[in-house]
Amino acid sequence: MTQSDTWNLGGHTFTSRFILGSGKFSLDLIEAAVQGAGAEMVTLALRRVNPGGMANIMDYIPKDVTVLPNTSGARNAEEAVRIARLSREICKTPFIKIEIMKDSRYLLPDNTETIKATEVLAKEGFVVMPYMFPDLTAARALKDAGAATIMPLAAPIGSNKGLVNKEWIQILLDEIDLPIIVDAGIGKPSEACAAMEMGVTAIMANTAIATSGDLVGMATAFRLAIESGRLAYRSGLGRVLSKGADPSSPLTGFLRDEA
């Protein structure tokens, strides 16, 4: 398959479909992880940006990689908007990933507050990428509010439980005409591959890589799995029989004829 397979967001064209989180590993490993992942977009929490300080995460991210600040720590729309505006000033990028979580035990996103923040920030020219629980009504509201993409969680953030919300994500794929980026919960390369086979636009992962035995090796494994899943999706998966079987070779009965 030789056709170009890029995707666009906020006026940028991306070849890689792997968005790498940077929240759980040391700064000196970021560049190696980015290279292993082949990532063209890296998320970061504003608290890890330290302008003028001794350890600024921005110094470790390759210059040709798009930085995606998030609003981690925000508990409502007002706080998320404030963090987003500060991120744009410091990181010099219009991209923002909205994360709003009131609950500290399960870390589930607050869809209602996320919609409010998206509406404000989209009007201010941000490329808004909202992290959300995969609910169709909320996804439609986020699109109407100006979201550039939808980022449903596969499972609770940091859990590595995999595609727990697969059926709900499929509904978003069927009904929402925006890039769908699966975020949070993907724990294995095979799960990233499965999500890509469904037709999602990209995968965002952090914990699965940061908690692995070999960070760069796992980033590379995820990249290959995402590429494989994408190729399978574009190739068209084989059909599934609901009943019975279908032989892959003709049932000629030649042994009986020879006898």
Side-chain angles (χ1 to χ4, degrees), residues 3-8 13-17 201 230 234:
Q3 296 95 333
S4 174
D5 185 33
T6 59
W7 61 289
N8 299 301
T13 300
F14 298 96
T15 301
S16 171
R17 293 174 181 273
T201 301
R230 178 63 183 175
R234 295 184 73 205

Side-chain angles (χ1 to χ4, degrees), residues 92-172:
K92 309 300 181 187
T93 176
F95 287 85
I96 189 71
K97 180 187 170 195
I98 302 296
E99 291 185 11
I100 301 177
M101 291 172 274
K102 293 177 183 175
D103 169 70
S104 60
R105 182 175 183 181
Y106 299 104
L107 299 176
L108 294 175
D110 186 324
N111 283 352
T112 301
E113 291 295 309
T114 301
I115 293 166
K116 293 178 184 176
T118 296
E119 186 171 18
V120 173
L121 294 171
K123 288 178 179 176
E124 294 182 7
F126 282 88
V127 180
V128 183
M129 302 173 66
Y131 169 61
M132 56 93 70
F133 191 86
D135 172 82
L136 178 58
T137 301
R140 284 173 169 158
L142 286 166
K143 180 182 178 183
D144 292 343
T149 182
I150 301 294
M151 300 182 74
L153 61 91
I157 193 167
S159 69
N160 283 350
K161 288 185 175 179
L163 271 173
V164 174
N165 294 323
K166 180 178 181 179
E167 297 299 325
W168 307 114
I169 292 171
Q170 184 61 58
I171 291 174
L172 301 187

Side-chain angles (χ1 to χ4, degrees), residues 196-211:
M196 293 303 297
E197 288 174 353
M198 293 169 61
V200 305
T201 301
I203 301 290
M204 193 247 148
N206 181 3
T207 303
I209 295 159
T211 60

